[in-house]
Amino acid sequence: MRGGRRGLRQPPSTLPSQRVCTGANTRQGRYFLHGHPASATSWQLPVMQSLVEEPGVTVVTVDQCMYGQTTRGYDGGRGLARKPTRFATNSPAIAAALNRRCSGMHDHVGLIGGRAAAAAIYPPALCRAICRGLREQKRLDSAAGTQSLQSSEEVATAVAYDGVPGASLDPTRVVTARREEMQFVRDQAVWDPLSEETARANGWDVIGTKWIDIDKGDAERPNYRSRLVAQEYNTS
């Protein structure tokens, strides 16, 4: 997409390349945000249908009037413009920050008679909402990584034991192995990080995790492997 004083423009010919970019972001554990007017026919294109049907992708519709979008009013002043806009993202936090529809407590100015151009730029409040969502997503990701991996200082002063034979392990090598495991998990994008409070508020079970640390080599050629596994629990 290209941004400028006249707003975002997106020729249909760019959609296939954007689809490739967003798909790569998802596979590599990165996030994307794609926005277009809710009524745009581009949402019906096969390339976009394929994108929104990908696992982990959420589509939300925003009424920009709730973020202060305005245009030239009928009386010459400024009036709120509803301008429904659809967003697709693989970030749960950004989707939550943008899931806002019109309250129905105000009037709208129709985007006709040359008024659409004035509403082509996202209002500052909408941009701030996107940034808040991204900040929250980073916080959730950081919390998930912190809960799953002890800090270097904690592990370095601890005694680690081999998960199978029970022999002692080098704590420094355990730190490295656990970091490699967490990076692999992030690259595969196999989870949506959520706080424990959010899970419990939705009535979801919270399953504990534990580390299995193993040296598959020997004293001369150590080969440390660490796996983060879910702990079994009784559902009866």
Side-chain angles (χ1 to χ4, degrees):
M1 293 187 295
R2 299 197 299 270
R5 292 299 300 171
R6 294 187 178 182
L8 297 177
R9 293 188 176 186
Q10 180 174 271
S13 61
T14 69
L15 287 175
S17 61
Q18 286 189 22
R19 171 66 181 84
V20 171
C21 291
T22 53
N25 284 339
T26 299
R27 290 189 296 273
Q28 296 173 14
R30 295 194 295 263
Y31 298 107
F32 72 86
L33 177 66
H34 172 89
H36 220 196
S39 60
T41 57
S42 60
W43 289 107
Q44 305 304 317
L45 294 176
V47 65
M48 290 305 302
Q49 289 292 308
S50 175
L51 171 65
V52 301
E53 291 173 1
E54 278 198 3
V57 173
T58 301
V59 178
V60 295
T61 301
V62 170
D63 288 326
Q64 291 196 33
C65 58
M66 299 302 292
Y67 296 94
Q69 180 65 276
T70 62
T71 189
R72 176 170 48 86
Y74 302 121
D75 58 359
R78 304 293 296 182
L80 289 172
R82 185 171 186 174
K83 195 177 182 182
T85 303
R86 186 174 297 171
F87 289 97
T89 180
N90 61 342
S91 164
I94 293 179
L98 294 179
N99 194 13
R100 194 175 180 189
R101 303 306 304 269
C102 179
S103 64
M105 302 298 291
H106 51 253
D107 295 327
H108 298 115
V109 175
L111 296 179
I112 56 176
R115 293 182 174 88
I121 301 174
Y122 289 165
L126 177 55
C127 296
R128 287 194 294 268
I130 294 172
C131 291
R132 282 197 303 271
L134 179 58
R135 183 174 59 190
E136 175 65 7
Q137 187 65 63
K138 292 178 65 177
R139 186 192 70 78
L140 291 171
D141 289 351
S142 177
T146 300
Q147 293 168 1
S148 302
L149 177 62
Q150 291 178 291
S151 68
S152 301
E153 293 79 7
E154 290 174 330
V155 176
T157 58
V159 177
Y161 293 95
D162 194 310
V164 178
S168 62
L169 298 175
D170 179 353
T172 302
R173 293 184 184 275
V174 171
V175 171
T176 300
R178 291 185 178 185
R179 285 178 174 165
E180 289 175 353
E181 169 73 356
M182 290 306 301
Q183 187 59 54
F184 175 79
V185 172
R186 294 190 185 98
D187 290 344
Q188 298 303 308
V190 296
W191 64 11
D192 292 325
L194 295 173
S195 66
E196 183 174 335
E197 292 76 13
T198 300
R200 295 194 185 282
N202 284 276
W204 300 330
D205 292 329
V206 177
I207 304 172
T209 59
K210 66 178 181 180
W211 283 102
I212 300 295
D213 307 303
I214 301 174
D215 181 5
K216 292 190 173 184
D218 52 37
E220 294 183 358
R221 294 180 296 277
N223 182 15
Y224 280 50
R225 300 290 183 87
S226 292
R227 294 292 179 263
L228 180 64
V229 299
Q231 295 173 312
E232 294 181 3
Y233 68 107
N234 192 345
T235 59
S236 60

